[in-house]
Amino acid sequence: MSPSDPMPNRATRFDALMALEIPGIEHRYTHRDVILYALGCGAGPDEPDLINERAALRVLPSMATVLAYPGDWYRNLATGLNADQIVHASERVELFADLPVRGHLRAKPRITAIHDKGEGRGAIIVSEREIRDAVTGQSLARVTQRAFCRGDGGLGGPMVPLAPPPALPDRAADQVLSLRTSERAAAIYRLMGDDNPLHIDPDTARTAGFARPILHGLSGYGHICRALTARLAPDLRVTEFECRFTAPVLPGEDIALEIWDLPGGMRFRGHCRGRIAFDHGHLRFAPRAGAPAGPSS
């Protein structure tokens, strides 16, 4: 081949991942799953709307993360990724309606973007699934997850950096809450489908460098969502909830949650053992259908 000849087309790992077929999911759930999820996110007897089906049961908006959940597809599909080096980087849920107490749902996950940091530096893989009612087709929520694949930089695609998140307000938090997690939180939360042994098996945890099994990042995410939604007026509903996971939390540890109130939402950051564990968080809300919109800001 002469220097002027075009290069032959070569498929890269980037191309293979972007074309990866993740199977669709069908999911039926009931009020028992709603209660189990709330328990895994720290709900207790003083929150009957979250754990008592005889009350007007409320579904935590963050429960969208476990609905029509594809499981550990990074490990279970032929991705070619080093699954042992993958950590959960962030999660966002967008909600188009209140989640029902029971349902029959469908979702089709897909990879939407890859931000390659280069050989030896890892890559961020962004996946998304839209959760729909299986009968009516109504879209209930969209879940976007970022995974940091520490052992998989240099995938062969474009080097597109991840946009930096907006800065937190440059002032003291409006409120700081202490969220207690239970010693049993990880053992309960894993029953929602995240059965990674890191959260239950001491040997796996020690191999990964932890003294004992760590709490699921999404359980901490649910603890925070539970605390923030308790501050909302009844005529408001959550439309978006997102944060980054930056340090592990052990079951039984407290999360110190800083909250900034803003028009139409809240910003937040969570600390544990002197480290930031949940960063660049935001919750957005809007009036429920039929509720007055209130004064514009």
Side-chain angles (χ1 to χ4, degrees):
M1 179 185 296
S2 69
S4 61
D5 289 336
M7 292 291 292
N9 291 328
R10 293 187 300 170
T12 64
R13 294 178 65 202
F14 176 93
D15 298 323
L17 283 166
M18 291 301 297
L20 181 70
E21 183 74 14
I22 304 175
I25 303 109
E26 194 159 324
H27 182 193
R28 287 179 170 85
Y29 72 100
T30 71
H31 70 276
R32 294 175 65 87
D33 302 291
V34 170
I35 293 171
L36 184 63
Y37 177 79
L39 291 171
C41 297
D46 58 339
E47 298 164 292
D49 59 330
L50 294 178
I51 64 170
N52 185 354
E53 71 277 11
R54 296 180 183 274
L57 198 61
R58 176 170 62 92
V59 184
L60 285 171
S62 54
M63 189 176 174
T65 59
V66 301
L67 297 178
Y69 174 60
D72 191 3
W73 60 266
Y74 306 99
R75 186 184 304 273
N76 298 333
L77 299 180
T79 62
L81 297 170
N82 185 345
D84 292 335
Q85 292 293 314
I86 295 176
V87 294
H88 199 163
S90 73
E91 191 89 357
R92 179 174 71 239
V93 296
E94 301 164 80
L95 296 128
F96 312 122
D98 287 323
L99 297 175
V101 172
R102 58 185 55 80
H104 177 192
L105 308 175
R106 288 194 179 118
K108 184 69 171 69
R110 62 192 181 99
I111 293 174
T112 56
I114 298 175
H115 302 275
D116 196 340
K117 296 174 178 289
E119 189 71 38
R121 300 179 60 200
I124 298 285
I125 294 183
V126 185
S127 60
E128 177 185 292
R129 70 186 189 276
E130 188 155 348
I131 301 169
R132 294 181 177 273
D133 184 285
V135 176
T136 67
Q138 179 190 7
S139 180
L140 299 176
R142 181 183 299 116
V143 180
T144 303
Q145 182 179 103
R146 292 191 182 107
F148 181 28
C149 304
R150 296 178 293 175
D152 290 289
L155 295 172
M159 303 282 286
V160 180
L162 194 64
L168 290 169
D170 186 19
R171 57 180 170 85
D174 295 301
Q175 187 176 9
V176 179
L177 299 177
S178 181
L179 307 183
R180 171 62 54 88
T181 69
S182 166
E183 293 277 357
R184 301 178 178 179
I188 296 171
Y189 189 87
R190 67 188 300 269
L191 299 178
M192 297 306 299
D194 190 339
D195 57 0
N196 186 330
L198 179 63
H199 305 295
I200 196 68
D201 179 58
D203 290 338
T204 300
R206 280 191 291 269
T207 299
F210 301 105
R212 58 188 176 93
I214 65 174
L215 186 63
H216 304 71
L218 285 179
S219 175
Y221 180 90
H223 277 74
I224 293 171
C225 186
R226 190 180 115 251
L228 296 183
T229 53
R231 302 175 82 243
L232 289 184
D235 60 342
L236 297 174
R237 71 173 189 88
V238 175
T239 59
E240 189 170 316
F241 182 61
E242 179 176 17
C243 75
R244 294 189 174 193
F245 306 113
T246 51
V249 175
L250 298 177
E253 291 184 328
D254 292 350
I255 301 169
L257 183 65
E258 297 178 281
I259 305 168
W260 289 265
D261 292 311
L262 299 170
M266 308 174 209
R267 298 293 304 280
F268 65 87
R269 179 171 57 197
H271 302 255
C272 184
R273 287 177 288 129
R275 295 190 296 174
I276 298 174
F278 304 91
D279 204 5
H280 298 293
H282 70 257
L283 178 149
R284 296 192 176 101
F285 54 75
R288 296 186 185 281
S296 59
S297 58

